[in-house]
Amino acid sequence: MEKILVLDFGGQYNQLIARRVRDHRVYAEILPYTVPLEEIRKRRYKGIIFTGGPNSVFDMESPHYTREILDMGVPVLGICYGCQLISWMAGGEVKTAPVSEYGKIELTAKPSPIFENVPEKSIVWMSHTDYISAPPEGYEIIATTPDCPCAAMQNTKKDIYAVQFHPEVTHSEYGDKVLYNFLYNVCDCKGEWVMDSFIDDTVIKLREQIGDKNVILGLSGGVDSSVAAALLSKAVGKQLTCVFVDQGLMRKDEGDFVEKTFTTMFDMNFVRVNCAEHFINALRGVTDPEEKRRIIGTEFFNVFWDEIRKQSDKGYFAQGTIYPDCIESGKGDADVIKTHHNRVKTPEDVEFLGIIEPLADLFKDEVRRVGERLGIPRELVWRQPFPGPGLGVRIIGEITAEKLDLLREADAVLRDEMSKNGYENNLAQFFCVLPDVKTVGVMGDHRTYDNLVAIRAVTTDDFMTADWARIPYDILAKVSNRITNECAGINRVVYDITSKPPGTVEWE
Ligand code: XMP
C-alpha cells in the first residue's frame, strides 16, 4: 500500500497533516523525528512530510534529522519548522525574522508543481518567528509574502519542497490543494486508501488471525468499541463475545439502546453486566473529582475482569484502540490535566492468546466512516464524546441514585430540544451538569428550595481548546422552561459561558 510518512518535529498540527493526507485517499502515518533512517528506508514511503515545531533550527538542542534523508530519492515536503529545517540541512540560511508572521497573510506564488490550480495571490496561515533568509544552493524561491522573502522553495531535481505556511489548516485557502499537489504531482500517489477496502482487508486479516478461536471485547457503547465490535462480528460472528458493563452512569436509555443494537443487528454473544448499585456504593461520600475518576476506573475494571474470568474459552482480547492513542509524539509527554485512559492492561491471572486492535490505524473520522458502512445506527456512530466516568463527573459533589436520575432527565430534555432544532450532529458536545447547589425559587404561591442545573455546550475542532456555543436564546429558553417544568427537583437553569482554556469542557 502506498504510504506517506509524517515526520513529527513537535508541531501541534501533526495529526491534522496526516488526516488531511488521508482525506486525499493516501495512507499517512506519523513517526517521531527519533526514528532511524534505516527504518524509514525499510518502510518504502512514497513521500515524507516534515511537520512544524516550536523550536529554532539553529538551536542545537532542537529536533534535527540526518541530512541523508534528503538524498534518498523520496520526495519531501517541509512545513514551517520543517521548511526551515530543510534549508538548514541543505546549507541555506535561517535567521530570526525581523517581523514574525502570525495569522492570515497574503501569499504570492509562482508556478510550481505544488501550486497547480493555486492562484498567484491567496491567503495562508503563518505562525513563525524564524525564516529562511537565503535558500540553499539548488533551491528556488516559489512564494513570498510582504515580510517573508522565502515563503516557499523547491528543488525539482530532488523533489524537495518546503512551505513556511501551514497548508494543513483550513485558514490557508488553498492549503489542501498544496497537499493534494504534493501527493499526486510530486509523489505520484494513486489514492488507494478507501474505507471499503479497509473493511474487506481487515475482515480477511481478522479471520486469518483468529481462525477458530474466540475473541472477547469490552464494549462501552462509545464509537470506537462499537465499530470494533461490528467489524469483529462481520469477521467471526458468534466467536465474538462482547462484555458490556453498565455502571449506571450512562445517559437516559443509553444502556438499553446499546444492548438492542448489538443483540438485534449483529451476530455475536452479548453479555450485559448491570452494576449500578455496586458503583453507587463504591462512590458513597466521595466528592473529590480525581478520586471519583479513580474509583470509577478501578471498579469498572474489577467488574469487567470478574466477568471475563467467568468466560471459559477466552481466546483473543480485542480493543477499540484508534490511531491517535498509538502515536508517539515528538513533543514528549503533554501535561496530564485529567486522567484519561485508552489502552487496557490485562491482569496477570487472565491469559489471552493475544491482543487484537482492528482500528489501530484509523483516525476518529475514519472509524466513523467504517461504522456507517457496517450499518451501525447513526446515534452510535455520531455519538458525541462521552467521558469514561460518565455522569459521575457531571454531578459535582457526592453521587447518589437520585441525583443521577435527575441529571438524566434534564439531559434528556436538552438532547431532545437540540435534536429537534438540528443541533444533534452540528455541535461538538452539549450536556447538563448537576452542581451541588440548591437555590430558592417560587412555584405558584410556594417557595421552593431545589437543584440548579447547568447547560454546557461547546464548539471545537480538537477538544484541546473549545469555545462556548452560541445556542440561540429561543432554544435555551425552551430547554430551561421544559427542565423546570418536567424535572421535579430542579428550579433553576444556568448556561455555562466559559471557553477552554480557562475552563475544561467537563466540569470535573
Ligand atoms: P476536558 O474536560 O478535558 O474534555 O476539556 C475534553 C474532552 O474529553 C472528554 N473527557 C473524557 N473522555 N475519559 C474520556 O474518555 C475521561 O475521563 C474524560 N474526561 C473528559 C470530554 O467529554 C471532552 O469531550
Side-chain angles (χ1 to χ4, degrees), residues 293 338-340 385-389 394 429 463 500 504-506:
R293 276 169 189 272
K338 295 177 186 181
T339 43
H340 297 203
F386 187 59
R394 293 180 181 171
Q429 205 172 3
F463 293 94
K500 174 184 179 177
T504 48
V505 175
E506 302 287 346

Side-chain angles (χ1 to χ4, degrees), residues 38-84:
E38 250 338 282
E39 185 60 34
I40 294 181
R41 252 202 206 105
K42 231 170 46 198
R43 296 191 186 203
R44 304 165 73 92
Y45 293 106
K46 294 280 276 185
I48 301 173
I49 299 179
F50 292 1
T51 73
N55 307 75
S56 280
V57 290
F58 38 79
D59 175 354
M60 286 318 289
E61 300 290 297
S62 304
H64 288 97
Y65 206 82
T66 165
R67 51 187 74 179
E68 282 168 79
I69 195 169
L70 301 180
D71 300 320
M72 286 200 309
V74 180
V76 176
L77 172 69
I79 295 175
C80 195
Y81 177 84
C83 164
Q84 296 159 12

Side-chain angles (χ1 to χ4, degrees), residues 219-471:
L219 184 66
S220 69
V223 183
D224 306 341
S225 63
S226 296
V227 176
L231 203 51
L232 281 156
S233 156
K234 188 175 164 80
V236 297
K238 283 273 185 308
Q239 286 163 254
L240 168 69
T241 298
C242 286
V243 176
F244 171 51
V245 175
D246 184 348
Q247 10 75 313
L249 301 173
M250 283 193 286
R251 290 168 288 198
K252 193 177 177 186
D253 301 329
E254 215 165 19
D256 295 343
F257 182 67
V258 172
E259 178 173 352
K260 189 166 160 240
T261 302
F262 287 98
T263 50
T264 58
M265 294 179 60
F266 296 94
D267 188 26
M268 64 173 67
N269 300 303
F270 185 91
V271 180
R272 176 170 178 176
V273 188
N274 288 317
C275 48
E277 232 181 277
H278 177 93
F279 275 80
I280 294 288
N281 288 336
L283 289 162
R284 185 151 296 133
V286 180
T287 55
D288 177 70
E290 281 298 294
E291 185 61 4
K292 276 189 203 172
R293 276 169 189 272
R294 194 190 60 74
I295 293 171
I296 296 170
T298 311
E299 289 310 316
F300 178 88
F301 285 109
N302 286 343
V303 174
F304 178 71
W305 291 117
D306 278 349
E307 188 58 39
I308 301 293
R309 284 185 188 95
K310 290 184 200 159
Q311 305 284 323
S312 52
D313 186 359
K314 298 190 200 15
Y316 289 92
F317 181 49
Q319 300 194 34
T321 318
I322 68 169
Y323 192 50
D325 304 334
C326 311
I327 298 172
E328 228 184 290
S329 168
K331 274 184 277 193
D333 286 346
D335 282 352
V336 177
I337 297 180
K338 295 177 186 181
T339 43
H340 297 203
H341 41 242
N342 297 310
R343 273 190 165 143
V344 178
K345 284 201 192 83
T346 52
E348 277 173 13
D349 67 315
V350 184
E351 285 196 3
F352 291 103
L353 295 171
I355 307 280
I356 292 179
E357 294 176 320
L359 308 176
D361 288 336
L362 303 190
F363 281 111
K364 195 80 169 191
D365 36 355
E366 294 171 322
V367 173
R368 290 203 161 102
R369 271 187 272 151
V370 168
E372 278 190 328
R373 279 185 171 68
L374 291 168
I376 301 176
R378 285 189 67 80
E379 291 99 303
L380 279 183
V381 173
W382 291 100
R383 187 187 195 242
Q384 292 179 8
F386 187 59
L391 300 183
V393 289
R394 293 180 181 171
I395 290 174
I396 315 305
E398 188 184 10
I399 297 163
T400 64
E402 295 71 36
K403 287 183 188 172
L404 278 165
D405 283 341
L406 206 54
L407 178 57
R408 263 195 277 265
E409 289 306 321
D411 194 65
V413 170
L414 173 68
R415 287 205 284 156
D416 182 48
E417 281 304 320
M418 293 298 271
S419 160
K420 281 181 186 155
N421 287 281
Y423 279 89
E424 187 67 46
N425 298 322
N426 288 326
L427 208 55
Q429 205 172 3
F430 54 83
F431 52 87
C432 286
V433 178
L434 193 68
D436 203 10
V437 174
K438 285 192 166 193
T439 70
V440 173
V442 58
M443 188 165 279
D445 293 333
H446 299 286
R447 174 188 188 270
T448 58
Y449 186 55
D450 274 334
N451 287 285
L452 165 85
V453 149
I455 297 171
R456 178 67 161 152
V458 293
T459 55
T460 174
D461 285 330
D462 55 10
F463 293 94
M464 303 294 286
T465 61
D467 196 8
W468 60 277
R470 277 33 170 198
I471 297 176

